[in-house]
Each structure stands twice: as C-alpha cells, then as structure tokens.
C-alpha cells in the first residue's frame, strides 16, 4: 500500500555502495571505503520506562508523573508514531518524546502524565504506549500504577480544657476525629503537635516523635467520633499565645489537618525587691 512495513536505522561504514535484505529482515550494507559489511537489524526497541507509579493522589485532585523513556536498542533509532495513555482519568500532558522524532540507540526522552481519580482505590487498566514501526505490546508500552485516597467526611479538631492557663499550671489538650462519611474509617491515626512553652506531662497510649504525639485510634464508625487527650504544663516567664496543631488519617483516606487551637499562657507578675 506504499506505507512503511518496518523501520531501519544505524551507522554504516564509509562509502556505502549497496544494500541487500535477507529473509529474516536484516539489512546488510556493503561499504566500499572501509572494505566492510554492516548489518542493521529490523527489530526496533525495546523501550524501557521508569518510573511508572503515580504518587498517592486524593480523589478530585490531580497527580502528576514524568516517565523517562529509553531506547535500549544497540544500533537502531526509533521514531514514535503515536504516544497515548489509557486509564480512567489518565492523560498525556507533555514531555520531550514526540511523534516523528527519532530516538537514537541508548537515548532518552520523557512523557509527562496526569491522573485525576474519581474514586478511592488502586489505579487499574492504565498503560502508557509509545507505538513505533516494528514495536509490539511487550516492547512499546508499560503498566501505570497508583493509589487514590479520599478525605470525604473525615475531620479533626484540637480541643483544650481552657483557652488561658497560668504559667506552671496544667491543662488537657485533645484531638477529636469525626467520621462524617457513610462507611467506617479503619486504622485511624491521630497526631497532636505540642508547641513550645508547653511540657508534656502525660500522654497515655501515644507514640512520641519530637514534639508530636500520635495515637492509633482504630476504627471510627460512620457518623461517630473519637477523642484522644494529653496533659501538658505551661512554662513561660511572660504572657504568650501558642497554637496546638494536629492531623488525622485512615486507610484509604488522605491525611487531613486538624482545626488548630490557641492557648494563652499568662505569666505571674514578679514583685520587685524592696529595700530600705
């Protein structure tokens, strides 16, 4: 039909003078100047792709991935005829790989992808394909993976037993996690970050990392809430305001920030030394 059946490419010797193709599709070039024969194989590629996994992406948000494509052929350039992506919410957004642009043996180019998930769970049925003459499914495409998370219905709030506390006194601070979704939230983990000027007095069941305390809350049923508390002591020589912050997350649910809570430490006045 006049169209190309296969793609050939490579480097000949000096002064190539004649060409022959054998039954296997190999091209042989006789080089008059260098008194040599060069063989050029007809099988292009294969291509290699890395990385192929999108970062964890929240439902409704857009995740991005840049895939580096390498032509692993020893002696044959590849010229893509099409660059496509399959999968719900997955699309090609750019990159340096281009249709009709030759990719030399060992050379690299990139494909930029985006993914906008509509439901929580693993990305399935997604592939990046770079078609080229002589390529096939095994050598011109790769599977794309990723995990979508959802924060639907999950909220967190920092609570405090008082908004003002005298220096040297204690107060209770908590993190309240509410599941406003329609299904249970499993393996809920809630964390409180204690600001400066507060010493941690008691935090039963919490794992500490620096000034952050995390609780393995467990399962929170739909429409229910769970609260974990710690006891801290205010330490300051002057009146200051500090903010308690926190986060909560669960299996299949992206991490959400807790509504922060301000607490003011009031310092006791210092009486001047009177002499005379």
């Amino acid at each position: 039909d006049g169209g190309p059946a296969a793609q050939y490419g490579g480097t000949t010797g000096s002064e190539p003078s004649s060409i022959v193709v054998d039954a296997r599709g190999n091209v042989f070039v006789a080089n008059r100047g260098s008194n040599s024969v060069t063989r050029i194989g007809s099988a292009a590629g294969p291509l290699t792709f890395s990385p192929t996994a999108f970062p964890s992406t929240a439902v409704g948000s857009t995740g991005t991935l840049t895939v580096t494509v390498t032509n692993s052929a020893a002696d044959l350039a590849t010229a893509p005829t099409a660059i496509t992506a399959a999968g719900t919410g997955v699309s090609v957004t750019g990159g340096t790989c281009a249709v009709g642009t030759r990719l030399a043996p060992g050379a690299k180019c990139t494909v930029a992808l985006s993914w906008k998930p509509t439901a929580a769970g693993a990305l399935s049925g997604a592939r990046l394909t770079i078609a080229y003459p002589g390529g096939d499914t095994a050598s011109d495409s790769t599977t794309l993976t990723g995990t979508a998370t959802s924060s639907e219905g999950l909220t967190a709030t920092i609570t405090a037993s008082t908004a003002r506390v005298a220096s040297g006194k204690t107060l209770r601070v908590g993190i309240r996690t509410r599941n406003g979704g329609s299904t249970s939230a499993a393996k809920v983990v809630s964390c409180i970050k204690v600001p400066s000027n507060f010493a941690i007095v008691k935090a039963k069941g919490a794992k500490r990392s620096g000034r952050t305390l995390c609780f393995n809350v467990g399962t929170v049923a739909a429409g229910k809430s769970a609260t974990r508390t710690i006891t801290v002591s205010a330490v300051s020589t002057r009146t200051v305001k500090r903010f308690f912050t926190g986060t909560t997350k669960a299996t299949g649910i992206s991490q959400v920030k807790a509504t922060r809570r301000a607490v003011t430490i009031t310092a006791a006045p210092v009486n001047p030394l009177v002499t005379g």
Side-chain angles (χ1 to χ4, degrees), residues 16-30:
S17 59
S18 58
I19 297 175
V20 66
V21 182
D22 69 7
R24 291 188 174 184
N26 295 301
V27 174
F28 295 89
V29 180

Side-chain angles (χ1 to χ4, degrees), residues 56-150:
S56 180
T57 304
V59 173
S61 299
T62 300
T64 59
L65 172 67
T66 298
V67 179
T68 298
V69 181
T70 304
N71 178 10
S72 62
D75 58 3
L76 187 60
T78 298
T81 57
I83 302 174
T84 58
T88 303
V90 178
S91 60
V92 176
T93 58
T96 60
C97 297
V99 172
T101 299
R102 291 166 64 85
L103 190 64
K108 303 176 185 292
C109 64
T110 60
V111 178
L113 301 163
S114 68
W115 175 39
K116 189 173 184 178
T118 57
L123 174 62
S124 62
R127 296 189 71 80
L128 168 63
T129 300
I130 299 181
Y132 58 90
D136 55 29
T137 302
S139 63
D140 67 4
S141 67
T142 186
T143 299
L144 301 172
T145 61
T147 302
T149 60
S150 174

Side-chain angles (χ1 to χ4, degrees), residues 3 8 48 99 131 136 144 164 180 191 248 259-260:
Y8 298 86
T48 59
V99 172
D136 55 29
L144 301 172
R164 298 179 71 86
C191 300
T248 190
T259 302
R260 66 180 187 171

